[in-house]
Amino acid sequence: MQKLKILFLLLASLAFKNSFAQLDPVVVEYIKKYKDLAIQEMPMKHFVKRSNNHFGLKCKAEWTGMTVTHTDDAPNECFRKYDNPFDSYKDQSNYLKGTPRYASLFELDPTDYKAWAFGLKKAGYATNPKYSQVLIKLIEDYDLQDYTMIALGKLKSGQETLAKNENKNSDIIIPVEKPVVMPPEPEIVVYSKKDAKKPAETKTDYPDGEFKINETKVIYAKKGTSYLSIAEKYAIPLARIFEFNEMKVQEVVEKDQLIYIMRKRKVGLNEQHTVKPGETLADIAQTEALRIESLLEYNFLQPNMQPAVGSVLYLRAKGPGMPALATGK
């Protein structure tokens, strides 16, 4: 059942390419060529041709394979490169199945493409604020739900709409364009703060001594460590320690935590951060080596706001809007 849902790979790949005012013969040919890969595993033109990267997957820290640079959200970003399209489909399949924030998608009905489209956007799959609507329009314009039905055994290969059109005429049949009514984005759900009352999980796998997060020097200090001792050890004025970490003046570290010994960055290393139980904006800013002012700006937040557990925050540029907020309960 899990593999059937990976048919959505084909749909996500097309949404990555573009939105269209009318059916594009190039897209129809793309579907015909790669539909079998999508059923088994469930272009950005020049970029796809030179990288075989059909889903626009960026390198990320875990990627050790070939790479290619491409200007997307920022100039000359690192993207994955594959020997062939099959490897791209396989990697995307593994990426979705192995990334925790997409786990809830695999509980959805595989035929409910609208729920998948909105679920992908909510999980932070794409930065385009209209991603869900564009994806749904592509599915409905090109009858891509037929391939889900083939994967589920409810339709035989060759019975899909594209195949029927192809059999009728050697030329591609393009139906008359209909007015498009974009489905509305789901309402923002407001969650309770009961989960936020739980203490944030303490990460203890940081190395001893000085290291870097997002190219920013930092140490992992134990509870009770004197801030003065940190300032003296790293030859930094004591006032700068509190300035770099955007915290009030105090004598000792109140809990095991990251303490930066240089100013944090305006742009995060990661694209997004999913809020965990107990995390505050200050916690997230420390975890990501990002200035709080940038975190607030990118997510349309105010200092007194608390994002809901599970909401996605943007770290490198402005997101599509304010994330869901926790209530005061």
Side-chain angles (χ1 to χ4, degrees):
M1 194 68 173
Q2 298 285 344
K3 283 191 175 182
L4 299 178
K5 299 183 180 72
I6 302 305
L7 178 58
F8 224 80
L9 296 173
L10 177 60
L11 316 182
S13 174
L14 289 171
F16 173 63
K17 180 179 181 294
N18 270 315
S19 59
F20 307 93
Q22 61 179 14
L23 298 193
D24 186 339
V26 175
V27 177
V28 175
E29 289 300 323
Y30 179 95
I31 296 169
K32 288 160 59 180
K33 184 174 182 179
Y34 293 110
K35 63 181 182 180
D36 292 332
L37 283 177
I39 292 172
Q40 291 171 19
E41 279 297 325
M42 286 280 262
M44 254 181 22
K45 300 176 184 176
H46 179 64
F47 168 70
V48 172
K49 288 181 180 178
R50 67 191 179 100
S51 66
N52 279 317
N53 188 336
H54 287 243
F55 302 93
L57 279 183
K58 296 182 180 179
C59 295
K60 305 293 184 182
E62 68 273 12
W63 180 248
T64 58
M66 298 182 293
T67 64
V68 62
T69 58
H70 177 76
T71 298
D72 187 36
D73 295 326
N76 297 320
E77 291 186 280
C78 181
F79 285 82
R80 304 182 185 193
K81 183 178 180 180
Y82 306 94
D83 288 328
N84 53 67
F86 178 83
D87 289 342
S88 175
Y89 273 73
K90 186 72 174 179
D91 192 34
Q92 175 72 351
S93 172
N94 292 335
Y95 173 72
L96 287 179
K97 289 187 290 185
T99 303
R101 71 171 182 265
Y102 299 123
S104 61
L105 295 176
F106 293 92
E107 299 176 3
L108 298 173
D109 182 343
T111 65
D112 191 352
Y113 59 87
K114 291 185 179 181
W116 271 79
F118 286 122
L120 281 167
K121 180 64 179 71
K122 185 177 181 181
Y125 183 83
T127 56
N128 184 348
K130 295 296 182 182
Y131 175 81
S132 302
Q133 291 97 323
V134 170
L135 184 54
I136 290 170
K137 183 178 186 298
L138 281 167
I139 295 168
E140 295 177 346
D141 281 354
Y142 294 96
D143 296 296
L144 298 182
Q145 62 269 36
D146 286 354
Y147 298 109
T148 297
M149 304 309 289
I150 293 174
L152 292 169
K154 298 181 179 180
L155 193 69
K156 293 182 179 179
S157 181
Q159 292 181 331
E160 68 270 28
T161 302
L162 283 176
K164 291 176 182 177
N165 286 339
E166 184 179 8
N167 292 334
K168 290 179 182 178
N169 195 306
S170 59
D171 296 325
I172 296 171
I173 297 175
I174 300 178
V176 177
E177 180 71 7
K178 299 177 181 179
V180 177
V181 179
M182 290 294 190
E185 289 279 5
E187 295 181 3
I188 293 178
V189 180
V190 180
Y191 298 88
S192 171
K193 275 187 178 177
K194 61 181 180 180
D195 288 331
K197 295 179 181 178
K198 301 175 183 177
E201 295 181 3
T202 302
K203 189 172 182 179
T204 58
D205 57 348
Y206 293 115
D208 294 331
E210 179 185 317
F211 59 100
K212 287 185 178 181
I213 299 177
N214 192 19
E215 294 302 313
T216 308
K217 295 179 182 179
V218 64
I219 63 170
Y220 188 70
K222 296 293 185 180
K223 178 180 178 180
T225 303
S226 165
Y227 281 104
L228 180 58
S229 68
I230 296 174
E232 291 176 344
K233 181 175 181 178
Y234 294 98
I236 301 171
L238 180 59
R240 285 298 182 92
I241 296 290
F242 303 119
E243 180 183 345
F244 293 161
N245 292 275
E246 302 173 289
M247 60 173 56
K248 64 181 181 181
V249 176
Q250 48 196 300
E251 292 185 8
V252 298
V253 178
E254 296 181 341
K255 62 180 181 180
D256 294 356
Q257 63 180 331
L258 295 167
I259 299 296
Y260 289 89
I261 53 178
M262 65 181 291
R263 195 178 304 279
K264 291 181 288 185
R265 305 291 177 177
K266 291 183 178 180
V267 177
L269 175 64
N270 301 310
E271 294 183 2
Q272 299 168 345
H273 180 100
T274 302
V275 181
K276 302 178 183 64
E279 278 191 321
T280 64
L281 290 174
D283 294 329
I284 296 168
Q286 290 295 96
T287 300
E288 301 289 349
L290 180 66
R291 299 181 194 178
I292 291 179
E293 62 182 5
S294 296
L295 185 61
L296 296 174
E297 178 185 353
Y298 295 156
N299 296 280
F300 306 93
L301 293 168
Q302 297 297 323
N304 61 341
M305 292 180 175
Q306 173 61 43
V309 173
S311 60
V312 174
L313 300 184
Y314 291 80
L315 309 177
R316 297 183 60 82
K318 285 188 176 181
M322 183 186 297
L325 300 178
T327 65
K329 297 179 181 179

